[in-house]
Amino acid sequence: MLDPALQAQLRTYLERLAAPIELVAALDDSPTAAELRALLADLAAASPLVTTREAPADDRARRPSFTVGKPGEPARIRFAGVPLGHEFTSLVLALLQASGYPPRIEPELADAIRALPGPHHFETFVSLSCHNCPDVVQALDVLAALNPGITHTMIDGAAFQDEVAARGVMAVPTIFLDGQPFGQGRMELAEIVARLDAGAAARAAARLSEKPVYDVLVVGGGPAGAAAAIYAARKGIRTGLVAERFGGQVGDTLGIENLISVPYTEGPRLVAAMEQHVQQYGVDVTTLERVEALVPGRDGAPHQLRLASGATLRARTVVLAPGATWRELNVPGEAEYRTRGVAFCPHCDGPLFKGKRVAVIGGGNSGVEAAIDLAGVVGHVTLLEVAGELRADAVLQAKLRSLPNVAIRVGAQTTDVTGDGQRVDGLGFTDRATGARHRLDVAGVFVQIGLVPSTAWLRDTVALSRHGEIEVDARGQTSVPGVFAAGDATTTPFKQIVIAMGDGAKAALAAFEHLIRSGVATTAGGEPAALRAAG
């Protein structure tokens, strides 16, 4: 089941098992069950501390699935389906943590998890090609590993299509708590704990507001924000970073082939490397927080950033790198059916539409790449582009046109998304050349029409372009002294990862120079910084 290289890695990881682990399989006669049986055999062969057995025939568990737990104790972690692909790491971590190997989280968070009241049962529907799903699966497995009152089941939607349809799962990851919808999309461990513990958010906001003034505070955790934080921290000054999630849009990107000196990487891998690099310099990172307002400082007072949680952070200089979000169609039905057939990530949600008809809106590189990717999974793809021709690179267009289950409609203006009240069943569009109205019967609509800067909260604070981008000069300076900006949310042309990184570095250097000229820069320890540029 596992290739030799993966088996060798697995044996190395399982040397860390803190106690024996038993895997109990509930199987049937499906091909998926045969794969699962082979995987369990490989797991047992990788460590003498791992044993397997089959559940009795009258066990009412999902089939095929298996539990992970200590022998003689009720198992609290279950995998329904074969956890390979992006979920293989989730499986390895579950084995370690169920054995008693401690998860790498803050002690305060671990204590909060152990104190959560139960019982609670989580279920997470995933697709094995989803690069956001493992974050959720691993977070919920940590809850189950640390709290005896919590259990968690990962469910591969592709292996349980009937249940996906019956429970209305149209996007991954989709989380159920005690049988009721709990959340969709990426969620981090602290966020889940906060939703289970009503007082956690207020306590966290109070702690944030007590933080001392930063010399440089970066808003955003994408490439621009990460680069700004690294360059600022390297100067030895007090540096902070606040973001809803680390990585930004890069975390939703699969293949990256134009990052200089890195021939190929994937978004989640690059995000992990950026986060590790930021942490290496001791940057005070705050995630799961949305900034709602910037209050510029006056007469030498620090700038204030007000967060949605109620907390306020203060800084002598600010680097804005809020990035961008998916641009929406803004047609009737789109918002109503978002996550119920309207999707923005073909890699994540594509497997949920296996064998069905879908539409992709957008004829640029993103749209054409999405159509190519989906064509290998779904029954049929129709790509609609509002312009008179596709805008994607020629090599991508050639690949798209070679696929037998793809139709292309140019000059097609999407007018509405329709549904039966529960899920998408079609979309309407107008032929711009003739004015004729048409309808497509589709189960899914994948919107790929670009990005819009996340700057609405800055509209009355800094100067924005007519496109909503933060206006910056050659040094990244905004219209507010001491406030700089970088990345996709700015007027800098060409929205690319490498350009965003350079922008972030430049903005941080400009912020440091501003501190020097103001005579207020301090070291991370609170001592005055040397008034010269560090190497």
Side-chain angles (χ1 to χ4, degrees):
M1 183 67 182
L2 302 179
D3 62 55
L6 198 55
Q7 288 178 338
Q9 292 179 3
L10 181 62
R11 285 193 293 271
T12 300
Y13 284 125
L14 295 189
E15 289 176 357
R16 306 176 188 175
L17 287 171
I21 284 293
E22 182 180 55
L23 310 178
V24 182
L27 303 175
D28 53 23
D29 57 0
S30 66
T32 301
E35 292 181 39
L36 183 54
R37 184 178 283 108
L39 173 62
L40 296 181
D42 284 347
L43 293 173
S47 171
L49 294 178
V50 177
T51 58
T52 66
R53 66 179 175 88
E54 287 197 25
D58 59 356
D59 189 303
R60 299 180 63 182
R62 282 185 188 85
R63 293 175 183 269
S65 69
F66 68 98
T67 60
V68 179
K70 294 180 179 179
E73 297 182 5
R76 304 197 293 270
I77 297 174
R78 180 181 292 272
F79 291 91
V82 184
L84 294 177
H86 288 297
E87 293 298 345
F88 186 70
T89 299
S90 301
L91 169 59
V92 173
L93 289 174
L95 292 167
L96 295 175
Q97 291 163 7
S99 78
Y101 188 87
R104 297 178 60 183
I105 61 176
E106 295 295 327
E108 296 84 356
L109 184 55
D111 291 340
I113 292 170
R114 295 186 182 97
L116 291 172
H120 286 303
H121 178 55
F122 285 95
E123 299 165 290
T124 307
F125 284 85
V126 308
S127 67
L128 301 184
S129 60
C130 169
H131 45 274
N132 291 326
C133 294
D135 291 343
V136 174
V137 172
Q138 291 163 25
L140 293 171
D141 282 349
V142 168
L143 290 181
L146 294 180
N147 189 314
I150 296 176
T151 57
H152 174 230
T153 299
M154 183 220 81
I155 306 166
D156 176 12
F160 293 87
Q161 287 280 326
D162 291 344
E163 189 171 357
V164 164
R167 300 180 72 170
V169 176
M170 301 293 290
V172 292
T174 290
I175 310 167
F176 289 85
L177 172 61
D178 301 329
Q180 300 300 314
F182 180 79
Q184 285 184 326
R186 177 181 294 180
M187 296 181 71
E188 295 187 22
L189 179 58
E191 182 180 3
I192 296 170
V193 173
R195 290 189 57 179
L196 295 174
D197 179 0
R203 294 193 298 272
R207 288 195 298 270
L208 284 176
S209 296
E210 294 172 355
K211 287 182 177 290
V213 178
Y214 295 101
D215 288 315
V216 176
L217 180 57
V218 179
V219 179
I230 290 168
Y231 266 74
R234 281 175 58 86
K235 298 299 185 183
I237 57 179
R238 183 178 292 113
T239 304
L241 183 151
V242 58
E244 289 191 66
R245 63 168 173 150
F246 202 95
Q249 288 293 329
V250 173
D252 298 325
T253 304
L254 198 58
I256 300 170
E257 300 176 317
N258 56 0
L259 187 60
I260 309 306
S261 84
V262 182
Y264 179 83
T265 188
E266 295 182 349
R269 189 184 307 165
L270 179 58
V271 169
M274 290 193 306
E275 187 169 16
Q276 183 179 22
H277 199 175
V278 167
Q279 292 174 343
Q280 179 180 330
Y281 287 103
V283 176
D284 187 11
V285 176
T286 300
T287 56
L288 307 178
E289 291 286 352
R290 186 177 77 255
V291 182
E292 288 193 329
L294 166 65
V295 182
R298 306 294 183 191
D299 300 323
H303 305 290
Q304 295 184 33
L305 288 167
R306 294 177 181 169
L307 312 184
S309 64
T312 297
L313 299 176
R314 298 165 297 148
R316 296 181 174 90
T317 63
V318 174
V319 175
L320 301 171
T325 57
W326 294 111
R327 187 181 299 277
E328 298 180 354
L329 293 167
N330 293 317
V331 300
E334 180 187 27
E336 178 183 357
Y337 289 104
R338 183 165 184 164
T339 73
R340 295 192 291 167
V342 174
F344 295 84
C345 181
H347 307 296
C348 298
D349 298 332
L352 298 177
F353 297 88
K354 183 178 181 180
K356 299 179 180 179
R357 302 179 72 87
V358 303
V360 173
I361 314 299
N365 283 351
S366 295
V368 172
E369 288 173 346
I372 293 170
D373 183 62
L374 288 165
V377 179
V378 305
H380 187 272
V381 181
T382 300
L383 185 143
L384 293 90
E385 163 59 37
V386 68
E389 60 183 8
L390 300 183
R391 295 169 287 108
D393 295 342
V395 64
L396 293 175
Q397 292 192 43
K399 174 62 176 178
L400 181 70
R401 297 180 191 280
S402 73
L403 300 174
N405 61 334
V406 173
I408 302 170
R409 299 293 300 260
V410 297
Q413 177 73 58
T414 303
T415 57
D416 61 299
V417 177
T418 63
D420 60 6
Q422 298 297 320
R423 62 193 68 192
V424 166
D425 63 16
L427 66 80
F429 70 94
T430 299
D431 186 316
R432 298 183 67 197
T434 66
R437 292 180 56 83
H438 301 275
R439 172 185 162 82
L440 284 176
D441 293 326
V442 293
V445 177
F446 289 82
V447 182
Q448 299 284 292
I449 56 174
L451 301 169
V452 60
S454 303
T455 57
W457 59 282
L458 292 165
R459 188 171 294 117
D460 299 324
T461 309
V462 300
L464 303 178
S465 73
R466 63 188 180 90
H467 299 296
E469 298 168 320
I470 304 169
E471 294 184 349
V472 294
D473 65 13
R475 304 168 73 82
Q477 173 68 60
T478 72
S479 59
V480 177
V483 177
F484 303 82
D488 288 359
T490 73
T491 50
T492 298
F494 311 119
K495 314 304 185 185
Q496 298 289 312
I497 292 172
V498 68
I499 293 175
M501 288 178 170
D503 264 6
K506 178 174 62 178
L509 293 174
F512 181 68
E513 184 178 77
H514 176 86
L515 290 170
I516 290 174
R517 293 181 181 277
S518 303
V520 295
T522 64
T523 65
E527 298 298 325
L531 299 185
R532 61 178 178 81

